[in-house]
Amino acid sequence: MTAADQKRYLVTGGAGFIGSHMTEHMLGLGRSVTVLDNFATGKRENLDQALAAVGGDAASRLEVVEGCITNPDDVARACEGVSGIVHLAALPSVVRSVEAPVESHHHNVTGAVHVLDAARQRGLKVVYAGSSSAYGDQDTDFKHEDLREDPLSPYAASKLACELYCRSFARVYGLPIVVTRFFNVFGPRQVPDSPYSGVVAAFCFALLQGRAPRIDGDGSQSRDFTYVKDVARGVTMALEAETSGCQTVNLACAGNHSVLSLFEILRSQAGVDVEPVHGPSRTGDVMHSRAAIDRIRDLIGFEPEYTFEEGLARTFDWYRVTYA
Ligand SMILES: NC(=O)c1ccc[n+]([C@@H]2O[C@H](COP(=O)([O-])OP(=O)(O)OC[C@H]3O[C@@H](n4cnc5c(N)ncnc54)[C@H](O)[C@@H]3O)[C@@H](O)[C@H]2O)c1
């Protein structure tokens, strides 16, 4: 057994969509994981599925702390025996942040500062789940990390505020931090039936029920859809690589798919004959979002492994089995 095998990592928000895949990936590599989650949007079933996917002795290497990142005692409890932190816990919705900006700020920013402070006190490396929403809408084919940020929603502002804290903690306390900016992550276990659901999950769910999905705007808006297993692998690579200071990198596929093309692929997988219902564009939404990924290649050698079509096929199959 190597030293890396014996490591225990803290995954905040580990019962959520991305967090449960993060946990699954790390357990699959032989690491131990402590999850800190208040189950605001996360679910115990997500962790059950992660454990079932890994099998073997995975359950004995997973500890779950039910608590809130805004409570320093909960964070301290969750940090016991860990040698690195993946910070995912947040209220991840543009719509929700427009409705309740103070609540978003509390969980996304105040909570993150508590996590960073705990890392500072223990000298722990942090990988922070940043967001492509930091870029806003900019007239450029690829969003690259040197662009000036332009958050369009309270959610985007909260995610960016936390990035600024990451930069300052790296400078002031010498903490190694990697900010991985995610771009429209999709895959199994994403909540499909909430007003805050991601577009892939919501479309799969509607089509499996034979309903027409709702498209905000004309559907020409495009996204760099990233399969969740690529995200889990990229974040783990970032945590385990030797890095210094605060490094900010896009973690995505450099792809460009319109919401309308997403609908068409999923409609053909579902084999139903429905047309989407178009509604008004959403406040705070960006039109086009495509990542440049040279920096993450250079930093940790990350390459996406899943194509958009392959990820969608796996995702649709999961929703078919789970909800049909
Ligand atoms: N899904 C995407 O496309 C995407 C894109 C960019 C960034 N991100 C970021 O990735 C992270 C994970 O997002 P997700 O899509 O898995 O969402 P999710 O809602 O499934 O996961 C968030 C998790 O955090 C937990 N949580 C929320 N507030 C908490 C608190 N105060 N204390 C403890 N736990 C708390 C929730 O219960 C949930 O388990 C978020 O930080 C989000 O901003 C996601």
Side-chain angles (χ1 to χ4, degrees):
M1 190 182 271
T2 66
D5 287 338
Q6 291 165 355
K7 283 189 189 292
R8 172 171 291 276
Y9 296 128
L10 169 60
V11 179
T12 70
F17 158 53
I18 298 173
S20 66
H21 287 278
M22 198 66 249
T23 301
E24 178 180 322
H25 182 75
M26 287 178 161
L27 291 172
L29 290 177
R31 315 292 184 261
S32 297
V33 176
T34 300
V35 163
L36 172 61
D37 206 298
N38 67 355
F39 297 94
T41 55
K43 298 180 190 163
R44 290 202 183 265
E45 299 103 86
N46 289 343
L47 291 171
D48 293 342
Q49 288 186 20
L51 287 176
V54 181
D57 71 341
S60 68
R61 289 182 282 114
L62 174 65
E63 194 183 325
V64 180
V65 174
E66 183 163 356
C68 191
I69 51 168
T70 59
N71 177 344
D73 293 338
D74 290 348
V75 178
R77 202 153 46 97
C79 281
E80 273 169 31
V82 308
S83 50
I85 300 177
V86 174
H87 179 47
L88 299 170
L91 294 180
S93 162
V94 169
V95 178
R96 191 167 178 158
S97 77
V98 171
E99 291 165 359
V102 175
E103 185 192 30
S104 278
H105 178 91
H106 184 59
H107 292 275
N108 298 2
V109 187
T110 307
V113 176
H114 282 299
V115 173
L116 287 173
D117 197 40
R120 166 186 79 81
Q121 290 170 28
R122 295 161 180 80
L124 299 174
K125 179 170 181 177
V126 178
V127 178
Y128 167 63
S131 166
S132 61
S133 63
Y135 294 113
D137 245 340
Q138 306 204 30
D139 188 17
T140 169
D141 287 344
F142 290 90
K143 304 276 172 71
H144 61 82
E145 297 86 346
D146 290 332
L147 287 171
R148 184 172 179 177
E149 296 87 355
D150 186 18
L152 298 183
S153 65
Y155 167 72
S158 74
K159 297 300 291 181
L160 182 58
C162 186
E163 286 197 21
L164 298 179
Y165 272 106
C166 288
R167 286 182 214 169
S168 71
F169 270 62
R171 282 215 182 92
V172 175
Y173 307 115
L175 214 58
I177 299 179
V178 181
V179 174
T180 45
R181 289 183 177 161
F182 303 161
F183 282 64
N184 283 82
V185 187
F186 72 98
R189 304 182 201 144
Q190 200 166 19
V191 173
D193 54 354
S194 124
Y196 312 125
S197 292
V199 61
V200 174
F203 282 13
C204 288
F205 191 59
L207 288 166
L208 280 165
Q209 295 182 330
R211 282 191 293 113
R214 180 195 142 99
I215 293 185
D216 301 316
D218 65 4
S220 63
Q221 64 269 39
S222 63
R223 297 288 182 265
D224 192 342
F225 291 103
T226 313
Y227 191 56
V228 67
K229 282 186 181 291
D230 275 332
V231 171
R233 187 173 48 82
V235 168
T236 308
M237 288 168 74
L239 187 65
E240 296 196 333
E242 284 287 324
T243 61
S244 60
C246 181
Q247 306 287 338
T248 301
V249 291
N250 294 333
L251 202 179
C253 294
N256 183 30
H257 301 276
S258 72
V259 169
L260 213 49
S261 72
L262 164 72
F263 165 75
E264 278 157 9
I265 295 174
L266 288 175
R267 177 174 61 181
S268 109
Q269 284 182 355
V272 290
D273 186 19
V274 291
E275 291 301 325
V277 178
H278 290 270
S281 301
R282 287 201 308 206
T283 313
D285 248 1
V286 300
M287 265 313 282
H288 300 292
S289 181
R290 183 180 200 180
I293 57 172
D294 325 29
R295 196 175 280 182
I296 193 168
R297 278 194 182 113
D298 291 347
L299 184 71
I300 58 170
F302 170 81
E303 289 293 339
E305 284 181 353
Y306 291 87
T307 63
F308 177 55
E309 291 74 13
E310 195 178 346
L312 279 186
R314 285 169 173 256
T315 304
F316 189 77
D317 275 355
W318 184 85
Y319 283 102
R320 194 197 310 264
V321 169
T322 309
Y323 289 97

